[in-house]
Amino acid sequence: DDFAGAESELSRAQMSFNTLGNLLNEIGLDESKACSPSTHMTYLGVLFDTANMCLYVDSDKITELKSELIMWGRKTVARKHELQSILGKLIWVSKTVRFSRVFVSRIICEIRKLTAQATKTTLSMEIRKDF
């Protein structure tokens, strides 16, 4: 239920925005969250800056992840599903940070060793470096 678009020129962006808005109205969908074309847009927690061709993680997401990583830095034992959950968040962030996926490789390797979702593992000092 989330849509985003991009165009090379503001006039084309405005035309595409209006066309999509009309289509959504015709089929009875709500467009109340729609934002006019801009060079900056937050979409699914990521700020897209097309003027500078950069992506930024939303500050609320960063704050949330930082507090969770502090907790993970103190953990000594975790279940497979817990590791999968934090890995998912780290990989989501890695989509905006070039070459960052390598920093979660130890977590991925540890998850592969665990068979069942409830299986516990002791977190080594090496894997805790990734948090």
Side-chain angles (χ1 to χ4, degrees), residues 83 105-114 121-122 127:
L83 285 169
S105 61
R106 287 184 282 235
I107 298 171
I108 294 170
C109 289
E110 191 66 28
I111 289 171
R112 287 184 179 149
K113 293 178 196 173
L114 304 172
T121 186
T122 300
I127 196 170

Side-chain angles (χ1 to χ4, degrees), residues 1-130:
D1 66 344
D2 292 312
F3 298 96
E7 289 284 358
S8 58
E9 299 171 11
L10 181 59
S11 61
R12 289 183 57 155
Q14 191 63 53
M15 184 182 75
S16 296
F17 177 76
N18 292 338
T19 302
L20 180 60
N22 291 337
L23 175 64
L24 293 174
N25 283 329
E26 280 180 34
I27 61 175
L29 294 177
D30 180 27
E31 61 167 311
S32 63
K33 296 191 301 181
C35 299
S36 297
S38 172
T39 58
H40 295 80
M41 175 181 75
T42 300
Y43 181 69
L44 301 176
V46 177
L47 173 63
F48 289 77
D49 177 350
T50 58
N52 296 308
M53 298 305 289
C54 293
L55 300 174
Y56 303 94
V57 177
D58 182 77
S59 60
D60 292 338
K61 291 276 188 189
I62 290 174
T63 302
E64 178 185 325
L65 185 58
K66 278 183 178 179
S67 66
E68 195 163 345
L69 289 174
I70 288 169
M71 181 206 63
W72 272 94
R74 294 186 204 124
K75 277 186 121 173
T76 56
V77 175
R79 288 187 166 85
K80 181 177 183 176
H81 68 88
E82 293 172 320
L83 285 169
Q84 288 171 323
S85 176
I86 193 66
L87 176 64
K89 293 174 185 180
L90 292 170
I91 287 178
W92 181 84
V93 169
S94 77
K95 302 266 187 218
T96 64
V97 181
R98 281 186 148 189
F99 310 115
S100 61
R101 187 171 172 162
V102 70
F103 295 103
V104 296
S105 61
R106 287 184 282 235
I107 298 171
I108 294 170
C109 289
E110 191 66 28
I111 289 171
R112 287 184 179 149
K113 293 178 196 173
L114 304 172
T115 53
Q117 292 295 326
T119 305
K120 286 185 180 181
T121 186
T122 300
L123 300 175
S124 68
M125 286 304 290
E126 287 301 306
I127 196 170
R128 290 168 62 194
K129 289 178 183 177
D130 290 342

